[in-house]
Each structure stands twice: as C-alpha cells, then as structure tokens.
Amino acid sequence: MGLKDYYTWTFPNIPEHVAQELDQLGRSLVVVGVIGRSRCVLANKMRAFGMEPPVDHEPTDGQLQCYYKPGSSTLLLHFETTFDDAILGQQIDETMEQDGAPFDFDGFYERMKCRFVRMMLLALHVCHILVYVETGQTFDLSLVTIFQLMKFAREQHLMQFLPSLLKETPAGRLLGEKCRLCTPRILFLFENFTHEEGKTRECVSACEFQTEDSIYELLRHHQIITNSSSSSLLALPNNKQFVFYNAHDQLHADRLLQSIEFLNLDMRKLDVKEEEDDLEVLELAPFDGFVKSFGESFESTNYEEQQYKTEHTAWHFLQRHVQDALLGCFDEGSFKQVPQRGQLQLLNAQEWHDCIAELHKLLVSSAGTQESLNEIRNEDYQVFLQSFDESLNYEKKFWAHLCEIGLKMGIEAYKKAAPAIYGSSMHQQLLAEATLAFEEEGRGPPAEASIAKMTATCLRHWQDGRQQCEQLSLRSQPCTQPKEMPHDKHNSGVIHVSSCNCGRTQGRREDPFSLRQANYEFYEHMVKMCNLCVKVKQFKFPIFEPTNNEYRAAAFEVAFPLLHAGKNRLAQDAELDPDEEDEELPTGEREEQHITQSNGCSQPLSPTFGSDLNMSIAGFGVSLNESEPCFDQSSSSEAESTCSGTSSEESNNELVLQLKEPAKKHEESCDPDSIAPLPSMCLTSTTEYLPGLVHTLSKVGLLPLFPSWSLACVGPSSIYSHNTGLQEHFQSGFLSGANFLLPWDVQLRLVHASKHYHNSHQPHMSKKQQRYRKHGDRMVLKIFVGFEYECSRGHRFMMCRPDRVLRGGADIERDTCSKMVHTNMPLYYPCPCRSQNNYLAQLMRIHVVTPKAPVNIIVDPKVCMGKDKYTFTLGSMVPPRLSQSAYWILRLPYVYQGDDALIAPPEKLEPDDIMAGGYLLAGMFGIAETDPTLDLNDQGHLDTNELGTFTRI
C-alpha cells in the first residue's frame, strides 16, 4: 500500500492479502458503487474520496475498479462507463475507424446511452449505496430519463429471466426473488460548487438543501422512488442529507496554476490589524505585505469555518449512510411507512464476489454476443439480448411516431390538392407542399427516410392513371391528355388565333404537335372556312411523291456532313488558281461547275444563266450565285449603305433592261443545247422524303411531304387602296394604323439589242405598253410591299423598319420601302398589344401588289435562323413569278424545322438583339421581262420544270 491508506485493484483480480482482510469483516461489508461523469484522462471519480487509480491504469468501458480502506467496512466499486469523457473519446475513435461513413450522432448517442444503462443496472443489483458523481454545478435532468429506462428495463426484461437463471446458482439463494441486495440508496456528489456564491457554511448548506428538494420532487413525480421498497427503483433517506457539494477541495485542478497561486499567497499576506508603529518597518520591505504576520484574532475568528471545512468531506458524508446500513436502520429512513424487514442483505466478501460475477456475466460481459445466445437457452434472456437496445431507444420511437404523423399529413395534403390529370411540374409543386405539411410534425433522424417514402407514395399515386402525357408541342407546351389512356392526337389546351393563307379569315388553332399540323393541316382546314381561299390561285410547291408504300424519312448524320462537305469543297476550290481552272474547262462546263458548287442542294438562281434579258440595278448587293447561303446581321446595314451610296451615282434605283429580238429569244428557248441539264432536276427521290423544311444545305433530290409555304394571288391590284389601307372585310385582325403597305418606286430603263428591233417593234406596241414610254426609254414601277407580323392572340401589324411598327401614314416616306427590302427583317418581334404577358409576333406574310407593267416580280425569300444557321428556302427549282397588276400574299411557315431538330422561337427578345430569333434575308425580290408566249395568270406557268431568269432588285 505504501504511502496510500487504501488498496485498489481491478475486478475480479483481487489480491490475496486484501481478500483475507475482507473475509475478516464477515457479513458487515457495505458495497458502495461510484458511477457518473468524469473529465480526467483516467476516468477517475474517486478524487473526492482521496483515492486514485494506479499510474498505469487504462480506463475501459465496463471495467470495475475496486477500492478498500483498511479499518472501514466500506468497499467502493468504481464503474467506468461511457459517461466518462475518456471512454467516450475512445468510443468515438473506434466508431470512426470501423464505419468509415459520416458520423451518425443519433445512433452513436443511443449506443452510448444503452451501455451506460447496463452498467447502472449492474450497480443497482450489487450495491447497497450508489454515489452519482456530477462534474457540473447543477442536477442533470437527463438522469431522470436514465432512471426511467432502468425501471422499464428491470420490470420488462430483467425480472423475466433473472429469477430463473439465478435460481440454479449460489447468487439466487443469496439475492432472493428481487435479485438484488436491497433497494439501493442513491447519493449525489457534485465535484464543483458555484463560484458566484460564497463558500461559507450557510451558502453551501442552502445550496445542498435546495438541490435535494428539486431532486426529490423529480424522482417522486416520475415514480423513481415510491413509498414501497418493492416497487421503488431507488431509495432516498428521509431525514438525512443525500446531496454533497465539494466547496473546499479543488478536484482535478491544474498543478501549475495551483503552484502560482500558493506562491502569490506566501509572498503577499494581508494583516488583519495594522499599527502606526510598524510603518517604518513596512517601508523597508521590498513590496507591500512582505514578511507580515497574521494577527492573533485571525485564528479565533475563522475557527468555526475551519472546523466546518475539516468535517465537510465526501468521506464523512458517505460514512453516515454506511453506518445506517451497518446498524440495520437502513430502511427506516427510506420510506414514509412501516419498514419492510429483510430487504437489506449484508454478505461477506466471497458471497458478494460470487453474486457480482454472475450478474456481470449476464448483464455486461456476455450481453449481445453470439456465445451467450448459444449457451443460454432462456427465451426471455435471448429477447433481452436481441431487443434490449431497441427497446430503450425511446427517442427513436418518438421521432418515428412524429414522422409517421407527418407522413400521413403529407400524403393527405398531396392527394387532397391533386387534380384528376396533372403533369410533372404540378407533381413537383404538390410534392413541395406535401413536404411542408410533413415538416409541421415530422422531425428527427427518420425524417429523410420518411420524406423519401412519402415521395415514392405520391409518385405511385400520380402514375396510377393521373399522369399527364406531357409530350411537348412545337411551342413547348405539354400535352394535357392522360398518359396511360390512348389518344389519337396530343392536345395542350393552348389555343392560338391565326389567319388563313389569304389573311381574310381568322380561326382558332390548337397548339401544334407536328410540323404537318402546324404548317399544312390548319391552313387546309381554314380553306374550307374562308370564301376567298377557295377562289384564289395557289402556287404549287414541289412535294414528295412516292412510287411505292415503302418510303421513309431521310436519316441525317450528327453534325450535318453535307454542311461540312460543302465547306470543304469550297475550301479546296479556293486553293486552286481560278485562272488556270478557267483555261482548262470550256465555257459551258465552267459555268455549270460554278452553279453546282455555289449550291450543292438545289439549282442556284443566276441572273446570267439561260438569260434572254440583261438587267442590273445600282447597289445590287449580294448576287444569287454566291456560295455563302447565310448573311450576318451586319450585312444588312452594309448593303443598305452601299445601295444609298451607289444610287446617287447612277439614277436612283434604275434597272437597265436590254431587250432582245423575239425570234432569237424563241430560238434560244427552243434550242435544247442552250440549257445544260441540271443534275438536281433528275435526281428527285421517290423513297426518301425530307423530314423538315427545305434549306440551302438540304440533300440533293429530297422533297418534303407537304408544302410549308403558301403563295396565293388574292385578286387584282385595285383591291388595295393606299388611302384607306387594308380594310377589315379584306384583311381582319390588323392593329389600328398598322394596316398599310409601303410603296416602292423602281425605275426601269429599257435598252434594245439592236436598232432594227427597236424600229420594227415600236409601232406594234399596245396602248398599255405605250403608257410606260412617256419618258423615253424609262418607266417607273410602283410596287406595294408589306411585311406582316402576327402574334398568338391574332393581332396583326406591318413594320416600317426592322425595329419599328408602322403607325399610320406618317411613317410612310418616299424611300421607306426601298430601305426595308434591302435590310434583314427580324423573324420575331414583340407585339405592341397591351398584355401582362410579353407576346412575340412572328413574320407570317409578305404582301406584294405588282405594277401594271410588262414585267414579272419574282420572290425568292430566305429565312436564316437556328444555332446551325439554317437558311430555309421555298424549295422550288425556279422561283415563282408574280403576275402583273395583282395582289399576291406569300405566307411563311408557322414552325421551322431543320433536318433533325425543331428550331423553337425565343422566349424573350432583347431590344439590342432583335435578330437573335432569326431573320429574313434582304434582297428577296427580283424582276424579269414578261414572256408574251406565256400567260402568267395561268397556274400551269408556275411549273418547276420551266426555267427562267431574273434580276434581284
């Protein structure tokens, strides 16, 4: 034992000499269990009793350290549990090393709590007195929950198997039916006292009495202690102190800080009484208070306090309760009734050792192991081992109960608000509302799993005949039809208002889901409803005509190989010397090669190919045989500036027309060698069709199944009056002031091929032709053009500039239309109608009123749009000629689609970039001499096999 006055050892390895001393006590051994919290690295809670474990001691969960002081009848049993900070740190490290997953605080806390309850149950059955050590300054209310769990575990588990299992062992005879020594008396030891209050006897006693009252009320309220020792889990003395505050001994203090404090006290001692005679002596001291003695009255004044400090120790506090057990009055002060004799069992050391060994094996060491399950066949004990931790996890049950309530509320809220048929967006919205309803009650760790379960339940409810089809329309609107139920065609429920081909009648159109429905079927349906559409002349665009039933849509490779092939071919041609190439090839082959290279998909429009008339215009801009199909937005401003600059040099917008003799013209047109055969004319596919619209890079020989464009002559030019504009009975839906066409004056100068032709042909001209010869060989062509935009609400308006809506006659200037036709026009523009939603209007029609002159206006529109810069065309080998003195309307496609992808309209247009959604390229109009042998009003003239040339205006 050395300098220490006590023995210490680890259970069950008791030294022989200590066992002999304990045997001499006989049946007067009182076992005191010390359990609770500690913060030191050795997990020591015996410091208040002046005891410490060995230096080489390593704390371990479930380990018992025994202490015995010779001369006393007290055996102190120190329980090392998960409530000790040192052991808790070990468990955290082991858990993080084993799992490797994110730290589960709730699960870890439940495991630590269950292990502590096991140790408390062991102490409850093998100790006469329990001392709960608390490192804090106030009572821990969570301890009441621990006591409740202990009572539940003892009544529901331990008492089901302990009597039967201990019956066959010596411990059963010693412990009796209750399987414990007695109803243990519990004491509370607080290692620290509040620093705010004084450490006098009155203050400490008042704090102890106040804490005792609160603890007694809590334990009585939760039935931890009762008036009957048989039904009470623990016992409290009725008239004795059971709370102790360590107010004088500083436990687990920092040794360095203590040394500094002691040094300071020794160097500066305060004297109670100072005399004037000592002032001279004090001046000689190196500092105040140096070598000053205490007064005589100091000891006499603090004698009672010193005596209180000496007697107020944890050991003396414990021994008062030990004496009650030795004197046999242990039960007399525990309950407010007649004491029940025979409850307290005082055993000798060997008997007690046998009892704790058996109980430790059942409750702690073998609990939860597979060996114990195989060794002990008691069903109740196996249930205890398998479900003990789960049964004590009351917090898990509480959270699960709350989550179950929240789950019901969330599912009910979802089903109550769910319509008959709804889509994914509505499903997500309802799911978010259901989650909010769940969170009103659902809490705790199971909340995430419960939300996942609620999500799966709501998803099954949605998919059980309530799921919307949600097939997106060409305008990005989902189909509202049920997904599981068959439906012939999709329907989004969105209705647009659109005009027919001629623009006279407006009708309601469903949101289109296919290109055919958008660009063809609606307008065919409107033909039956419009009286004018039935009568007008329609230009027949070339479409796909299969030869058998086994036809299919053409397949396109990703990244559009035709586009790259065309660019590579142009790059290779640019590397060659143009002079050397022209010398090697004949003139006819050189011209044909140039035409084929300029457009690999269809016959390019050239003003010189097969021409019987030569026309030019100042500032012509981009010629038709250029190889680049798309134009930048900046090219429009450049073309406009070029046009305005050159027009001042050569008589404003003057076309030079060179007329040839009719005989030569007829001969050239009849000569089969004068026109080289075009490969694109004879390679039209009859097995594959073009799935989208025709564009400049379309595969050669592919045609669409139906026309997406419409060109119709709605009447003579006299039906339009520039004074009144477009009337409602003729063109409905126009906004006020935006129903005028723009006048366009084009000057034409005729140049004859020979004087003989001029003299011989002049007398035979008709009076109608002579009206245009008033100014010699010059004539002025007055054309009316209108770029019509239409929004989904049916509002229609004309534009006077690419960025300005026409506002009546004040916006119509002399050169307004001239600038318009030489400028790129945006495909989409914000509608000026007042609405909360910002509707976009689309360029849908181009109105043309042709002049009364022996010429034909030719239209060749090109729409450039999409990320891949598609340039969509009419798809006709020869652009259509508009008959003279007539009102023509070109209707553009409602939806644009490339080879394999839809080009959706933009959701919103920025004012600085109105061309972002696409644009109509400038220079779509051309002019050609009227052929007297052909009737332009005849529909048969507009045949794609009829070659013609024109000059772009």
Side-chain angles (χ1 to χ4, degrees):
M1 187 169 59
L3 297 177
K4 300 180 180 180
D5 58 349
Y6 60 89
Y7 299 105
T8 178
W9 69 95
T10 302
F11 176 83
N13 303 321
I14 181 173
E16 294 183 1
H17 64 280
V18 177
Q20 293 176 1
E21 292 189 18
L22 291 177
D23 290 340
Q24 295 177 2
L25 296 176
R27 289 181 174 268
S28 60
L29 180 65
V30 178
V31 182
V32 178
V34 181
I35 195 169
R37 301 182 184 275
S38 66
R39 294 180 179 177
C40 62
V41 294
L42 298 179
N44 182 30
K45 297 180 284 292
M46 301 295 296
R47 190 68 183 272
F49 300 100
M51 301 179 184
E52 293 183 357
V55 179
D56 58 347
H57 177 74
E58 295 183 0
T60 307
D61 182 28
Q63 184 173 256
L64 303 178
Q65 189 73 18
C66 302
Y67 295 86
Y68 173 68
K69 183 179 290 189
S72 66
S73 299
T74 307
L75 175 64
L76 289 94
L77 195 61
H78 181 268
F79 291 83
E80 297 178 355
T81 66
T82 56
F83 274 28
D84 298 315
D85 289 355
I87 298 177
L88 184 63
Q90 295 176 1
Q91 296 296 327
I92 293 176
D93 296 338
E94 293 178 2
T95 303
M96 296 183 68
E97 291 177 0
Q98 294 176 358
D99 296 343
F103 188 77
D104 182 12
F105 173 80
D106 297 286
F108 176 81
Y109 171 74
E110 292 298 332
R111 292 194 301 270
M112 298 301 101
K113 182 180 64 178
C114 291
R115 292 184 183 183
F116 180 77
V117 170
R118 289 179 185 271
M119 297 299 294
M120 285 288 290
L121 288 173
L122 177 63
L124 186 70
H125 290 80
V126 298
C127 298
H128 300 94
I129 300 174
L130 287 179
V131 179
Y132 187 86
V133 180
E134 180 61 61
T135 57
Q137 300 175 357
T138 57
F139 179 72
D140 187 6
L141 296 179
S142 64
L143 188 60
V144 178
T145 305
I146 299 295
F147 291 156
Q148 289 178 321
L149 294 178
M150 291 171 57
K151 185 175 183 180
F152 171 79
R154 172 174 167 80
E155 295 175 356
Q156 300 297 326
H157 290 283
L158 270 62
M159 296 309 297
Q160 305 299 324
F161 64 86
L162 274 182
S164 60
L165 292 181
L166 295 179
K167 185 177 182 181
E168 301 176 358
T169 62
R173 178 179 54 82
L174 297 172
L175 299 179
E177 296 180 357
K178 300 298 181 181
C179 301
R180 59 178 179 175
L181 298 176
C182 65
T183 302
R185 179 178 293 183
I186 185 167
L187 311 177
F188 297 93
L189 190 154
F190 293 87
E191 291 185 341
N192 298 310
F193 184 69
T194 55
H195 298 287
E196 289 79 7
E197 301 178 2
K199 295 184 179 181
T200 62
R201 181 174 184 175
E202 291 77 7
C203 293
V204 174
S205 299
C207 184
E208 290 174 346
F209 293 152
Q210 184 179 2
T211 305
E212 284 182 357
D213 293 341
S214 61
I215 292 176
Y216 181 80
E217 292 179 1
L218 284 172
L219 298 185
R220 290 283 295 182
H221 176 73
H222 294 282
Q223 298 182 355
I224 305 301
I225 58 174
T226 60
N227 293 333
S228 174
S229 61
S230 59
S231 61
S232 180
L233 180 70
L234 299 169
L236 287 177
N238 190 15
N239 295 319
K240 280 192 177 182
Q241 178 185 356
F242 60 89
V243 172
F244 177 83
Y245 271 96
N246 180 40
H248 306 292
D249 295 334
Q250 188 174 4
L251 306 178
H252 311 292
D254 190 343
R255 301 294 179 88
L256 178 60
L257 294 179
Q258 285 182 343
S259 301
I260 295 175
E261 185 178 358
F262 291 154
L263 179 61
N264 186 26
L265 290 176
D266 290 339
M267 296 295 293
R268 184 175 182 82
K269 296 180 180 179
L270 298 178
D271 193 0
V272 177
K273 181 179 179 182
E274 294 184 354
E275 297 179 358
E276 296 179 357
D277 299 339
D278 297 336
L279 296 178
E280 297 180 356
V281 179
L282 293 176
E283 292 178 355
L284 299 176
F287 54 86
D288 294 341
F290 180 75
V291 191
K292 297 207 64 171
S293 59
F294 293 99
E296 295 179 359
S297 61
F298 179 79
E299 294 181 358
S300 60
T301 305
N302 295 280
Y303 177 76
E304 295 181 359
E305 292 294 333
Q306 294 291 336
Q307 185 68 22
Y308 173 71
K309 290 181 180 179
T310 304
E311 296 178 356
H312 189 264
T313 61
W315 179 258
H316 289 90
F317 167 71
L318 177 62
Q319 289 302 312
R320 290 196 294 268
H321 297 278
V322 173
Q323 292 300 322
D324 288 346
L326 294 175
L327 296 176
C329 59
F330 191 76
D331 292 332
E332 292 181 0
S334 299
F335 308 99
K336 297 179 180 179
Q337 64 174 16
V338 178
Q340 300 178 6
R341 299 297 179 181
Q343 290 297 318
L344 178 63
Q345 295 289 335
L346 294 177
L347 306 178
N348 58 37
Q350 184 61 40
E351 293 174 343
W352 176 84
H353 189 274
D354 295 339
C355 292
I356 189 175
E358 190 67 27
L359 288 173
H360 188 274
K361 175 184 178 182
L362 293 176
L363 301 180
V364 179
S365 61
S366 300
T369 61
Q370 188 64 32
E371 297 179 358
S372 60
L373 288 173
N374 298 332
E375 181 181 357
I376 303 177
R377 299 296 182 181
N378 189 289
E379 295 181 0
D380 295 329
Y381 182 67
Q382 292 181 356
V383 172
F384 163 75
L385 296 179
Q386 294 175 356
S387 62
F388 176 73
D389 291 355
E390 188 70 22
S391 62
L392 295 188
N393 196 350
Y394 70 94
E395 292 179 346
K396 182 178 180 181
K397 297 178 181 178
F398 174 72
W399 298 128
H401 177 67
L402 290 183
C403 290
E404 184 178 357
I405 296 177
L407 182 63
K408 293 180 180 179
M409 293 178 61
I411 295 176
E412 183 180 358
Y414 180 91
K415 293 182 177 180
K416 185 177 181 180
I421 302 296
Y422 53 100
S424 58
S425 59
M426 176 62 71
H427 169 69
Q428 294 298 329
Q429 180 180 352
L430 294 176
L431 197 60
E433 295 176 357
T435 304
L436 294 177
F438 169 84
E439 292 176 350
E440 292 180 1
E441 295 291 340
R443 298 287 191 280
E448 185 175 355
S450 299
I451 291 177
K453 183 178 179 181
M454 181 188 69
T455 303
T457 304
C458 295
L459 181 61
R460 289 194 301 268
H461 179 78
W462 177 44
Q463 294 177 347
D464 187 16
R466 299 173 181 85
Q467 189 173 3
Q468 188 176 323
C469 175
E470 291 192 282
Q471 174 70 32
L472 291 181
S473 68
L474 303 185
R475 295 290 183 178
S476 302
Q477 300 292 338
C479 176
T480 59
Q481 300 293 329
K483 184 176 181 180
E484 302 298 334
M485 298 178 59
H487 45 280
D488 298 336
K489 66 176 183 177
H490 299 286
N491 185 7
S492 65
V494 178
I495 301 297
H496 305 282
V497 178
S498 296
S499 302
C500 60
N501 287 327
C502 68
R504 181 176 183 177
T505 306
Q506 286 187 316
R508 297 163 59 89
R509 69 183 305 167
E510 296 180 354
D511 200 20
F513 282 82
S514 65
L515 190 65
R516 184 184 184 93
Q517 182 183 1
N519 292 346
Y520 182 72
E521 291 182 354
F522 168 75
Y523 298 102
E524 289 298 310
H525 173 70
M526 290 299 296
V527 170
K528 303 176 183 178
M529 302 176 60
C530 179
N531 297 328
L532 184 58
C533 286
V534 181
K535 304 175 183 179
V536 299
K537 297 179 182 180
Q538 290 279 351
F539 178 82
K540 294 183 180 180
F541 293 93
I543 59 174
F544 172 74
E545 296 180 359
T547 56
N548 52 52
N549 294 330
E550 297 180 357
Y551 60 91
R552 58 185 176 86
F556 297 93
E557 299 181 6
V558 181
F560 307 105
L562 290 178
L563 177 61
H564 296 287
K567 292 183 178 179
N568 295 334
R569 187 164 57 249
L570 292 175
Q572 295 175 2
D573 296 341
E575 295 176 359
L576 299 176
D577 188 359
D579 298 335
E580 296 179 0
E581 185 179 0
D582 293 343
E583 292 177 359
E584 295 176 359
L585 297 176
T587 304
E589 297 181 4
R590 186 164 57 245
E591 182 179 359
E592 180 182 350
Q593 181 179 5
H594 176 72
I595 293 171
T596 306
Q597 291 178 354
S598 65
N599 190 342
C601 300
S602 64
Q603 172 64 26
L605 303 175
S606 173
T608 59
F609 178 79
S611 176
D612 60 346
L613 105 106
N614 187 7
M615 295 184 179
S616 63
I617 183 171
F620 176 76
V622 183
S623 62
L624 292 176
N625 58 353
E626 288 185 0
S627 58
E628 185 64 27
C630 297
F631 301 87
D632 295 333
Q633 297 175 13
S634 60
S635 64
S636 63
S637 60
E638 294 176 0
E640 184 177 354
S641 62
T642 304
C643 176
S644 60
T646 55
S647 61
S648 61
E649 299 175 0
E650 304 180 9
S651 58
N652 301 328
N653 283 347
E654 183 179 75
L655 291 178
V656 181
L657 178 64
Q658 184 175 359
L659 301 178
K660 296 184 179 180
E661 298 181 5
K664 294 182 179 181
K665 176 181 176 182
H666 181 72
E667 290 175 2
E668 291 179 3
S669 62
C670 296
D671 187 4
D673 297 332
S674 62
I675 300 177
L678 298 178
S680 60
M681 295 182 180
C682 55
L683 295 178
T684 302
S685 175
T686 59
T687 58
E688 291 183 345
Y689 61 88
L690 192 65
L693 275 68
V694 181
H695 54 88
T696 54
L697 295 178
S698 297
K699 189 176 179 181
V700 178
L702 294 181
L703 295 176
L705 284 174
F706 51 87
S708 296
W709 304 72
S710 172
L711 180 60
C713 179
V714 297
S717 60
S718 59
I719 62 176
Y720 173 71
S721 174
H722 194 55
N723 296 326
T724 58
L726 299 173
Q727 297 299 312
E728 185 68 21
H729 70 275
F730 176 55
Q731 295 289 318
S732 59
F734 272 92
L735 299 178
S736 178
N739 58 339
F740 289 88
L741 304 183
L742 300 178
W744 182 20
D745 294 337
V746 179
Q747 295 186 8
L748 183 65
R749 182 164 58 92
L750 303 178
V751 178
H752 299 282
S754 61
K755 183 182 293 186
H756 172 73
Y757 171 75
H758 173 71
N759 296 331
S760 61
H761 185 67
Q762 185 175 359
H764 301 284
M765 281 191 172
S766 62
K767 295 181 179 180
K768 183 178 180 181
Q769 291 175 332
Q770 290 176 358
R771 289 204 307 251
Y772 295 93
R773 303 291 297 278
K774 291 181 180 181
H775 304 285
D777 291 341
R778 286 180 175 85
M779 66 172 62
V780 178
L781 304 180
K782 181 174 288 293
I783 309 172
F784 290 92
V785 179
F787 295 90
E788 177 200 327
Y789 289 76
E790 183 178 21
C791 75
S792 59
R793 302 178 68 188
H795 298 143
R796 304 165 66 186
F797 57 90
M798 298 291 183
M799 300 282 287
C800 65
R801 285 204 311 249
D803 57 349
R804 180 177 174 82
V805 179
L806 183 64
R807 300 291 185 180
D811 288 341
I812 302 176
E813 299 177 358
R814 184 174 182 181
D815 58 344
T816 301
C817 189
S818 178
K819 294 179 180 179
M820 288 277 290
V821 297
H822 293 94
T823 307
N824 294 345
M825 293 298 295
L827 191 61
Y828 299 98
Y829 192 81
C831 184
C833 61
R834 296 181 179 179
S835 174
Q836 296 180 354
N837 299 326
N838 186 15
Y839 288 94
L840 286 181
Q842 181 179 346
L843 178 60
M844 286 303 302
R845 289 169 191 83
I846 299 176
H847 300 247
V848 182
V849 178
T850 58
K852 299 178 181 179
V855 293
N856 289 134
I857 302 301
I858 306 222
V859 289
D860 183 31
K862 290 182 174 63
V863 178
C864 185
M865 64 185 307
K867 295 181 179 179
D868 299 310
K869 289 299 179 183
Y870 282 102
T871 302
F872 297 99
T873 63
L874 294 177
S876 177
M877 298 299 177
V878 178
R881 299 188 177 196
L882 308 184
S883 60
Q884 57 186 351
S885 188
Y887 195 127
W888 288 83
I889 294 180
L890 174 66
R891 193 262 302 165
L892 279 68
Y894 185 72
V895 172
Y896 293 86
Q897 179 177 332
D899 292 332
D900 56 356
L902 173 73
I903 304 177
E907 296 182 0
K908 184 179 180 181
L909 282 178
E910 298 296 334
D912 298 337
D913 191 12
I914 60 175
M915 301 289 183
Y919 48 92
L920 175 69
L921 292 177
M924 64 167 288
F925 295 103
I927 188 170
E929 181 186 10
T930 303
D931 193 344
T933 61
L934 296 175
D935 185 6
L936 294 179
N937 293 325
D938 187 5
Q939 195 71 15
H941 174 267
L942 304 176
D943 189 1
T944 57
N945 294 327
E946 180 67 29
L947 293 175
T949 61
F950 69 94
T951 300
R952 189 182 296 272
I953 302 177

